[in-house]
Amino acid sequence: MLNDQGRPTRPEGAAPAEGTPAATPWTFTGNRALRVEEPLIFEIGRAETTGVDLPAPDGLAPRLGRLARKAAPDLPGLTEPEAMRHYVRLSRSNYSIDTGLYPLGSCTMKHNPRLNEKMARLPGFSDVHPLQPVSTVPGALDVIADLGGWLCRLTGMDAVAMSPKAGAHGELCGMMAIKAAIRARGETRNVVLVPESAHGTNPATAALIGMTVRDVPARADGTVDVEAVKALLGPDVAAIMLTNPNTCGIFEPEVAAIAEAVHAAGAYFYADGANFNAIVGKVRPGDLGVDAMHINLHKTFSTPHGGGGPGAGPVVLSSRLAPFAPLPFIRLDAGRPVLVETEAGTAPGETPFGRMTAFHGQMGMFTRALAYMLSHGTDGLRQASEDAVLAANYVRAGLADLMTLPFPDHPSMHEVLFDDGFLKETGITTLDFAKAMIDEGYHPMTMYFPLVVHGAMLIEPTESESKASLDLFVATLRDLVLSAKRGETERFTQAPRFAPRRRLDETRAARSPKLRWEKPKPWTAAEAAE
Amino acid sequence: MRYHPLTATDRAEMLARIGVPAIDALFADVPADKLLTDLIDLPRMRGELEVERLMGRMAAKNVPASSVPFFVGAGAYKHHVPATVDHLIQRSEFLTSYTPYQPEITQGTLQYLFEFQTQVAELTGMEVANASMYDGSTATGEAVLMAHRLTRRNKAVVSGGLHPQYRAVVETLSDMAEDRVQALPPDPLGTEDILAAIDRDTSCVVVQSPSFYGHLIDLAPIAEKAHACGALLIAVFTEVVSLGLIEPPGRQGADIVVGEGQSIGNALGFGGPYVGLMATRQKFLRQMPGRLCGETVDAENRRGFVLTLSTREQHIRRDKATSNICTNSGLCCLAFTIHMTLLGSAGLERLARLNHEAAIKLADALGRVPGVQVLNDGFFNEFTLRVPGDAAAVIERLAERGILGGLAVSRLEPGRGLDDLIVVAATEVNTDEDRAAYAEALAAVI
Ligand SMILES: Cc1ncc(COP(=O)(O)O)c(C=O)c1O
């Protein structure tokens, strides 16, 4: 049994087991210099230890009735130095944008400016309560109103619902507004058209509000055919959910005609704005006939992804959907922001469909995104989009002769999609190729998404990379491709070899899920005797 | 611009390598009449100093909780967070990492998620917890949908003690999904008879304890009646510190426990980002929404962690998924788990006791103000006051005197005859001086 408890791998003084390869010399601890194995807090903490010095309670008689806790929870504590070391060590087994290029297509791993962190932590933003008197938070309302104003201007849309908590929540918000608008017309429409290339959140969102998904097939060139959409439209269709630029990294050339056809059929155009970062300042979704679009502030406007969240997903709305925007919202009264939190506060023409979340949305992300916008300005934001598109096309130009481009007929936008055609006959999969990138010090690209090509590899370098960084990335991928073609299979199938962990057994994790730490069972006498 | 490494020369060289004359050639698929030629009419680029000035001015217009005697709760709580927490969550490797899709190089995130899940399960008295939802309100909405899937029924019975905005989230989701909600009237006295509302059509009963009005609700009889009718009990909390002192919902028979984790590790932040906690029983696992982190081994048999059971999730199951959630509250989980690890059982219990005592002292001080009545016998750190006249005006007059004295219930429940109620929270940050100042000001303004 190898070291899985953060303890020495072998008894004191014992020699390494026979057959240990000389190339991987053993260490007593199982550590490798700066790479240190870190146990779980449950293995190092103690229930009586605390890293927070609190005053002793006065010993007043509790007023908990019969509901006082009968047994304390079993939660180990760590003192401050122990906690510091635990989490800093954990951090060191993570890849991050700050340590390297992170070309996850669709996810937009761009630089996260630290000014934004500083601004979000101003006490006037971070230390205000969502329900303290509105008269004590005019600056917070200013932030929401200003950010909303920027989003409307940049998208050319009429209104914005700020409260959704992430992209998927924004999708839900936009689709709810569409459902409300359809109801207000006295109709029921229950079908949503979703291209096959769409992100999984799109069909999942449609299903959440009881709609049925009808797939729109992709054309051979990776785009949506307006004729295919027309063929699927009918009186039962509520909306199309279209990502633009799409998840193949292509701007949908027929988007305006699609919007027109959708509107002519009495349906709405929901745009998945996850890829808005490609087109800020270049083209406005409002000019393309969009009715609702979420914006992932954690992608386009650079709020940090934080290992999986939080995000923020404001939804811009056309004039047709604006009346249905959910509570809460901000109305400008002679330029002064007024917070509307309940039905009772609505004015004529405001018919919110309900509420997405408690409070007012992801304020901590709003302040960061606003700092990002104020820093960039309209010129910087356009430059960011242009540089992102330039970088993706540069990577594409550097790899197109060696890797396979399923859709060569369109320029790429901010991301370039390859398939696994170039790996044919090598015995190497997209997964293997990705894992070999890890050994080269790169986070892999998005793999196996979108679903419309075989073994997808979706590369989004973003505007944050220098030319030298892009050149090294391209050179590395070229070397990997040539190596694969030369039959150096082990470099891929054995990868990663240099990461904190080799490949993890995901089947085992799913077959008998172990989702929390359990106290090890005490050793039996028989085991001890072994 | 400081964030853009490419120089004009780089750009020219790159365009040449791509083989196009100008950047707009790459935007050839954009309809020509829609491609913008001019800059959008918004301000230009600014340096750090200017941005700091602009944002600083907006921030300065707000009254931070720490700057005044502060007693607002109702779903978000002012607690002291150790300095270590905010330092650690700003480590580049945590802050600027994505969802751990490549487990070999994201064990840091995965291990803290595993630790987080264990802590949440232990605190709530449940068997398994997920790796977070957006916040307590959306977690409640998701729990209702989960119960509908498990029971194959579609009616939720919602207690009048549930936070009104949580109720609104459940009602909105249910309305849009064409499910049913039977919401009991607001229950400021904590005396509703929810048992009578549970029947054989009921999918789930949603009960908050401590309730929005601060009452501690005995969940066991509700669980019993729900189970007898084939329904599930969803227990909700908005103040996670309460679990340091009161019996966890899991040990009172709850089937799904959801709540807000903001109090531990996370700032007030005007309402977000927060962290939704969700825990359930092992047997309900496959209908649980959200990410799950599980233990496994790597190719060298070393312990490691991965995201698992993703066949429940949107990226695999698309329209058959348990939820559409993708991005969750990762970094807020980290703040939560670091703070909880610093506390440990001993620290959490003490923190909870300090909160409870702060509330006892406050309730006694305010209850002595002539004309003011405390509606609760039992409570944790939050209770309801009845004041003579309009509570909203009282809150406003208190604010003018520099005291943020709680939430007028009518702000969230207008037109329901609750205009004389204030929900008040006390935490460890309040001092004797704060409480005395509040009592004095309250006496003066009513
Ligand atoms: C194309 C697309 N749509 C929607 C989403 C969902 O956004 P979020 O993760 O913020 O919920 C994503 C991101 O993961 C995406 O890439």
Side-chain angles (χ1 to χ4, degrees), chain B residues 340-373:
Chain B
M340 192 57 82
T341 300
L342 284 166
L343 285 167
S345 306
L348 178 67
E349 209 231 82
R350 179 170 280 202
L351 178 64
R353 209 166 280 287
L354 289 169
N355 273 261
H356 187 45
E357 292 194 346
I360 290 173
K361 291 179 205 171
L362 183 67
D364 289 349
L366 300 181
R368 278 194 293 272
V369 175
V372 173
Q373 184 194 355

Side-chain angles (χ1 to χ4, degrees), chain A residues 51 69 73 127 135 142 153, chain B residues 24 41 61 66 243 342 345 396:
Chain A
R69 217 181 216 280
D127 193 29
S135 57
D142 285 349
R153 284 285 187 85
Chain B
D24 279 353
D41 184 22
K61 287 162 77 178
S66 303
L243 295 176
L342 284 166
S345 306
E396 211 47 56

Side-chain angles (χ1 to χ4, degrees), chain B residues 46-111:
Chain B
R46 289 185 177 99
E48 276 208 14
L49 179 59
E50 294 163 272
V51 175
E52 284 193 29
R53 272 196 199 119
L54 282 172
M55 304 261 326
R57 238 177 267 147
M58 290 195 251
K61 287 162 77 178
N62 304 326
V63 178
S66 303
S67 67
V68 289
F70 189 85
F71 303 95
V72 191
Y77 302 88
K78 170 68 190 164
H79 292 287
H80 180 261
V81 177
T84 309
V85 175
D86 196 44
H87 172 83
L88 283 169
I89 68 167
Q90 289 190 76
R91 288 276 307 183
S92 287
E93 302 89 332
F94 289 136
L95 185 74
T96 76
S97 190
Y98 200 71
T99 305
Y101 290 140
Q102 298 287 346
E104 298 88 348
I105 47 173
T106 44
Q107 284 297 304
T109 300
L110 287 158
Q111 182 167 332

Side-chain angles (χ1 to χ4, degrees), chain B residues 189-387:
Chain B
L189 298 175
T191 50
E192 74 183 3
D193 178 14
I194 200 166
L195 299 187
I198 307 170
D199 60 22
R200 298 226 142 254
D201 269 354
T202 307
S203 150
C204 56
V205 192
V206 185
V207 183
Q208 178 178 330
S209 181
S211 78
F212 177 68
Y213 300 96
H215 303 285
L216 304 180
I217 309 296
D218 189 353
L219 300 174
I222 307 174
E224 203 175 302
K225 174 79 191 277
H227 295 158
C229 291
L232 302 180
L233 172 61
I234 298 173
V236 182
F237 56 85
T238 60
E239 173 52 294
V240 62
V241 175
S242 67
L243 295 176
L245 220 48
I246 64 178
E247 190 65 353
R251 274 197 243 124
Q252 300 184 61
D255 299 287
I256 306 171
V257 181
V258 285
E260 178 52 67
Q262 171 268 331
S263 283
I264 300 292
N266 289 277
L268 285 173
F270 202 54
Y274 290 173
V275 48
L277 310 181
M278 181 178 240
T280 190
R281 309 215 170 273
Q282 184 79 30
K283 64 181 176 197
F284 300 143
L285 186 58
R286 307 230 166 219
Q287 288 301 335
M288 193 178 210
R291 296 192 188 115
L292 289 165
C293 171
E295 183 182 323
T296 185
V297 294
D298 78 351
E300 292 176 1
N301 213 27
R302 291 176 296 183
R303 177 170 69 188
F305 303 92
V306 292
L307 294 180
T308 192
L309 299 177
S310 50
T311 49
R312 300 164 302 112
E313 292 183 74
Q314 46 75 26
H315 61 282
I316 308 285
R317 287 298 290 281
R318 301 177 75 84
D319 54 336
K320 305 284 184 305
T322 53
S323 166
N324 70 341
I325 193 170
C326 180
T327 290
N328 59 12
S329 298
L331 203 68
C332 305
C333 298
L334 177 62
F336 179 99
T337 189
I338 295 170
H339 192 182
M340 192 57 82
T341 300
L342 284 166
L343 285 167
S345 306
L348 178 67
E349 209 231 82
R350 179 170 280 202
L351 178 64
R353 209 166 280 287
L354 289 169
N355 273 261
H356 187 45
E357 292 194 346
I360 290 173
K361 291 179 205 171
L362 183 67
D364 289 349
L366 300 181
R368 278 194 293 272
V369 175
V372 173
Q373 184 194 355
V374 176
L375 297 188
N376 311 55
D377 295 327
F379 52 79
F380 171 63
N381 69 348
E382 197 163 21
F383 53 85
T384 302
L385 290 183
R386 174 167 283 143
V387 294

